[in-house]
Amino acid sequence: MNAHLQAIPQIASPVDSRALRTALGQFATGITVVTTRAAEGALVGLTVNSFSALSLEPPLILWSLRGSSPSLPVFESAERFVVNVLAEAQVEVSRRFALQVADKFDGVAHAENAWGQPLLHGAAAWFECRTVSRQAAGDHCLFIAEVERFTLSEAAPLLFHSGGYFALGSRL
Ligand SMILES: Cc1cc2nc3c(=O)[nH]c(=O)nc-3n(C[C@H](O)[C@H](O)[C@H](O)COP(=O)(O)O)c2cc1C
C-alpha cells in the first residue's frame, strides 16, 4: 500500500454529491451578489460564491449560474452585469439574495451604474463586467466576462466556508 494514500483520511466516490459538497466546502471563498437589469426593466440578482479572478490582461473574471435558475435567461440576454463583493456586515444581504423571493431588492440600498444595473451599498468592491463567453458546464452555465470598471471600499470582506459565514481572522 502506498504510504501517501494511507495518510488520506477519507476518499469519497466522486459521484457522492453530498460528500463532494462537503469537501468543496473546505475551499473558503468570498461572497458576491451578481446583479443586472432584465430587458423589461426588472432588477435581478443572486448570491454567488463561484466568482473567481481569471486574467489580468485582459481583465477577466468568471462565475457560474445553476442551469435551472429563473435568472439564467436574464443573464443570457444581458450584455453586462455587476459583481458586488459583499462586506462582513452584509450577511443578511447574502441570505436575502440566495432566496427565491419576488423582489430581492426591496429594502436593499443600492445605486445604479450607467446601464441601470444595481451597485449594492456597503459592498467591499464592485466589478462592472461585460460577458465575453457563456457555456453550459454540467448543471451550470459558466460566464466569463471582461471587467470594464471597478471600485473598492475599505470594508472587510465577508467569507464563506463549510456552509457558514465568517469574518477575516488574523493575518498569517
Ligand atoms: C453562499 C452561497 C453561494 C452561492 N453560490 C451560487 C453560485 O455560485 N451559483 C449559483 O447559481 N447559485 C449560487 N447560490 C445559490 C443562489 O444564490 C440561490 O439559488 C438563488 O436563489 C438563486 O437565485 P434565483 O432564484 O434567481 O435562481 C449560492 C448560495 C449561497 C448561500
Side-chain angles (χ1 to χ4, degrees):
M1 167 99 62
N2 183 317
H4 295 292
L5 281 183
Q6 275 181 339
I8 298 172
Q10 262 184 349
I11 302 178
S13 151
V15 294
D16 181 345
S17 59
R18 182 183 266 235
L20 176 61
R21 203 183 260 250
T22 303
L24 289 172
Q26 285 289 67
F27 184 62
T29 68
I31 293 277
T32 71
V33 169
V34 182
T35 56
T36 193
R37 182 181 283 275
E40 75 278 8
L43 300 182
V44 173
L46 74 154
T47 302
V48 161
N49 74 339
S50 55
F51 170 77
S52 181
L54 177 59
S55 161
L56 285 178
E57 289 185 20
L60 299 175
I61 58 91
L62 65 81
W63 65 289
S64 65
L65 175 56
R66 166 180 118 257
S68 59
S69 166
S71 301
L72 180 60
V74 177
F75 282 101
E76 278 177 334
S77 50
E79 199 185 342
R80 293 184 165 83
F81 59 84
V82 177
V83 179
N84 301 266
V85 177
L86 296 191
E88 66 181 25
Q90 293 181 302
V91 175
E92 287 313 316
V93 175
S94 177
R95 293 203 172 106
R96 179 171 185 86
F97 280 86
L99 295 174
Q100 295 198 321
V101 292
D103 190 357
K104 293 179 183 174
F105 291 86
D106 243 10
V108 178
H110 61 274
E112 288 178 9
N113 69 4
W115 292 277
Q117 297 159 341
L119 301 162
L120 303 188
H121 284 186
W126 299 262
F127 296 94
E128 295 177 58
C129 303
R130 184 179 58 83
T131 299
V132 295
S133 143
R134 273 177 223 110
Q135 70 178 86
D139 56 7
H140 277 59
C141 177
L142 175 66
F143 288 80
I144 295 177
E146 179 165 11
V147 177
E148 295 184 314
R149 286 191 65 201
F150 64 92
T151 322
L152 69 162
S153 76
E154 296 203 330
L158 177 61
L159 306 183
F160 191 74
H161 160 64
S162 198
Y165 293 98
F166 293 83
L168 275 181
S170 50
R171 189 184 188 116
L172 301 179

